[in-house]
Amino acid sequence: MEVIAEAIEPLYVTRPLLPDMARVTEKLKTVWASQVLSNGGEQHLLLEQQLKAFLNVPELSLFNNGTTALMVGLRALGLQGEVITTPFSFPASTHVLSWSGITPVFCDIDPVSLTLDAAKVEALITPRTTGILGVHVYGNPCQCDALASIANQNGLRILYDAAHAFGTEVNGRSIAEYGDLTMFSFHATKLFHCAEGGALVCHNPELKARIDLMKNFGIRNEFDVVMPGINGKMNELQAVMGQLVLEMVRDEQAKRKHLRQQYTAYLQGVDGIRLRAVPNNTRDCQQYLVVEIDESLFGASRDAVFLTLRRHNIHARKYFYPLISDYPCYRDLPSASPAALPMARLMASRLLCLPFYGDLAETSVARICELIQSCQQGRVNGGR
Ligand SMILES: *Cc1c(COP(=O)(O)O)cnc(C)c1O
């Protein structure tokens, strides 16, 4: 039985959208003819326009990846000293602080949104604090209004990491309207991608102009280099990929929405298992499907479920375990103390991301959910 199961094709948590190759080739012919491969060519310009329209935002700068975009964002906002952030995220959201010579200050998360608990932010502000780096984790919007008022009262800037929130809307408006700057990642694992890529969204053309200088070595023109910049430019091949993937996003979201309904149907009524949902006023972008496993009700731990799925070649992911504050490079910071981050710890022990991409078959969803339930009933004893 186990041997047969293992022969089945592995299922991963996501699968990148891949445009029709003939169309990619067709577009690449234009690039070949132009002999321009980077430095803000025609494809870059086109993608920038298309993304501004899709996301309904005023100003957007493309980047070679989301991490560089975050680093440029921190610098463009003049952040230094200490920045308050979440330990419940992908490593990049804290590493960019460290790489910029900024001390990360971890703040616990709120149990509903899983983002920075705004009620706990103020107590962490010191004379060295210059900003807040919030992450719209799993596409759940941060407590943006509360964070904005804290920032206003204390003279702080806000940079949002929206790597999981491409196209997320709150009350009918883009999530990128919040904060001073918002970063999107276009890595292959993200809903919309350019293989690698990213963007910064801001609210005024002056800031966009500064960001565009920063991502191109500070070069204003042939003879003027006006600031110490970096190379954060998206190239023409990435921009071609992005244009074609963007055409597929709405359809992919619809398919994922349907899959979410299937998962819900299979798992509802199972004690101790809960599909995490986004708030009512939010249009979810369908980046992840997250279940919360409460061991005391379910009768098996998240880790037990994870291992059972893995034995059957289903690669669910424990996002975000371990917490960033537990990495050896951060665990000695005063704010990394486990006692100060109880909710982040609890969620890191309970949450599991399940396979979630448009082409996932309903039979696979059924199989995944059966395996999960079998942990509860002790039918899968786990031995190989
Ligand atoms: C993917 C991701 C990033 C990094 O983006 P890259 O484009 O891979 O550099 C940053 N933050 C979060 C939360 C992410 O999921």
Side-chain angles (χ1 to χ4, degrees):
M1 168 63 195
E2 292 262 302
V3 174
I4 295 168
E6 283 180 34
I8 293 176
E9 178 194 10
L11 294 179
Y12 297 102
V13 84
T14 193
R15 190 184 270 188
L17 281 175
L18 286 172
D20 176 38
M21 211 158 184
R23 294 201 55 213
V24 178
T25 313
E26 200 52 44
K27 272 207 177 278
L28 286 179
K29 283 182 186 157
T30 322
V31 174
W32 259 235
S34 74
Q35 303 200 21
V36 174
L37 299 186
S38 188
N39 288 14
E42 190 187 339
Q43 305 305 320
H44 179 284
L45 199 68
L46 277 170
L47 182 62
E48 207 165 271
Q49 296 304 331
Q50 290 172 9
L51 284 172
K52 272 179 12 178
F54 189 97
L55 294 169
N56 195 18
V57 294
E59 302 292 347
L60 180 145
S61 297
L62 293 172
F63 278 83
N64 50 8
N65 62 59
T67 302
T68 315
L70 278 176
M71 304 246 302
V72 168
L74 291 171
R75 218 174 160 100
L77 295 178
L79 298 189
Q80 47 186 314
E82 295 174 2
V83 166
I84 296 167
T85 193
T86 172
F88 191 73
S89 179
F90 182 74
S93 61
T94 298
H95 284 348
V96 292
L97 296 173
S98 180
W99 270 64
S100 307
I102 296 169
T103 305
V105 174
F106 296 109
C107 176
D108 204 9
I109 60 172
D110 137 70
V112 178
S113 69
L114 308 171
T115 64
L116 281 176
D117 186 344
K120 293 187 177 165
V121 167
E122 216 144 17
L124 297 169
I125 297 173
T126 74
R128 297 189 68 224
T129 311
T130 56
I132 298 170
L133 198 168
V135 180
H136 304 301
V137 71
Y138 304 137
N140 297 335
C142 287
Q143 300 171 332
C144 297
D145 293 330
L147 292 177
S149 88
I150 293 166
N152 283 337
Q153 280 159 30
N154 295 278
L156 309 179
R157 314 302 297 273
I158 301 183
L159 172 57
Y160 281 121
D161 175 337
H164 304 169
F166 182 82
T168 295
E169 288 178 2
V170 184
N171 295 321
R173 312 178 72 151
S174 167
I175 190 134
E177 285 194 21
Y178 294 98
D180 295 294
L181 279 178
T182 294
M183 178 282 284
F184 291 100
S185 162
F186 305 150
H187 182 259
T189 53
K190 309 301 199 277
L191 170 70
F192 166 73
H193 74 90
C194 302
E196 293 265 11
L200 278 178
V201 169
C202 66
H203 313 300
N204 68 73
E206 295 75 35
L207 185 52
K208 174 179 159 60
R210 256 173 71 74
I211 288 168
D212 284 346
L213 273 175
M214 284 182 161
K215 75 171 188 188
N216 186 29
F217 311 101
I219 297 175
R220 175 171 289 155
N221 59 44
E222 199 176 342
F223 302 110
D224 293 326
V225 177
V226 297
M227 61 172 76
I230 196 168
N231 184 359
K233 301 187 305 295
M234 174 179 281
N235 68 48
E236 293 290 276
L237 309 189
Q238 289 171 289
V240 160
M241 188 71 171
Q243 289 170 49
L244 294 171
V245 171
L246 190 60
E247 293 177 10
M248 305 167 77
V249 165
R250 294 255 186 252
D251 186 46
E252 173 71 11
Q253 285 175 314
K255 287 182 182 166
R256 291 188 186 191
K257 211 170 163 182
H258 192 57
L259 283 170
R260 188 178 295 278
Q261 288 161 357
Q262 292 171 5
Y263 271 112
T264 307
Y266 284 111
L267 291 174
Q268 76 188 5
V270 181
D271 271 351
I273 300 264
R274 183 163 76 96
L275 254 76
R276 299 287 314 195
V278 296
N280 285 335
N281 63 346
T282 302
R283 194 177 80 177
D284 185 23
C285 72
Q286 311 290 346
Q287 171 70 53
Y288 287 117
L289 187 120
V290 190
V291 290
E292 179 176 348
I293 300 164
D294 179 343
E295 183 177 359
S296 64
L297 290 175
F298 181 61
S301 67
R302 186 274 311 271
D303 289 355
V305 173
F306 170 84
L307 282 174
T308 296
L309 293 174
R310 200 44 78 90
R311 277 186 203 103
H312 289 79
N313 226 349
I314 296 162
H315 298 252
R317 296 296 300 269
K318 296 188 208 178
Y319 293 144
F320 286 95
Y321 170 88
L323 294 177
I324 299 175
S325 50
D326 284 339
Y327 301 169
C329 49
Y330 300 123
R331 69 184 172 209
D332 293 331
L333 290 170
S335 67
S337 159
L341 305 166
M343 194 50 66
R345 306 196 81 71
L346 182 69
M347 291 304 161
S349 74
R350 282 189 174 185
L351 300 183
L352 192 62
C353 286
L354 299 178
F356 192 52
Y357 47 87
D359 287 341
L360 185 69
E362 178 161 6
T363 49
S364 298
V365 175
R367 196 165 145 262
I368 292 163
C369 296
E370 271 168 31
L371 282 167
I372 292 173
Q373 282 183 261
S374 74
C375 299
Q376 179 182 37
Q377 294 147 4
R379 272 199 275 117
V380 171
N381 60 20
R384 248 177 206 260

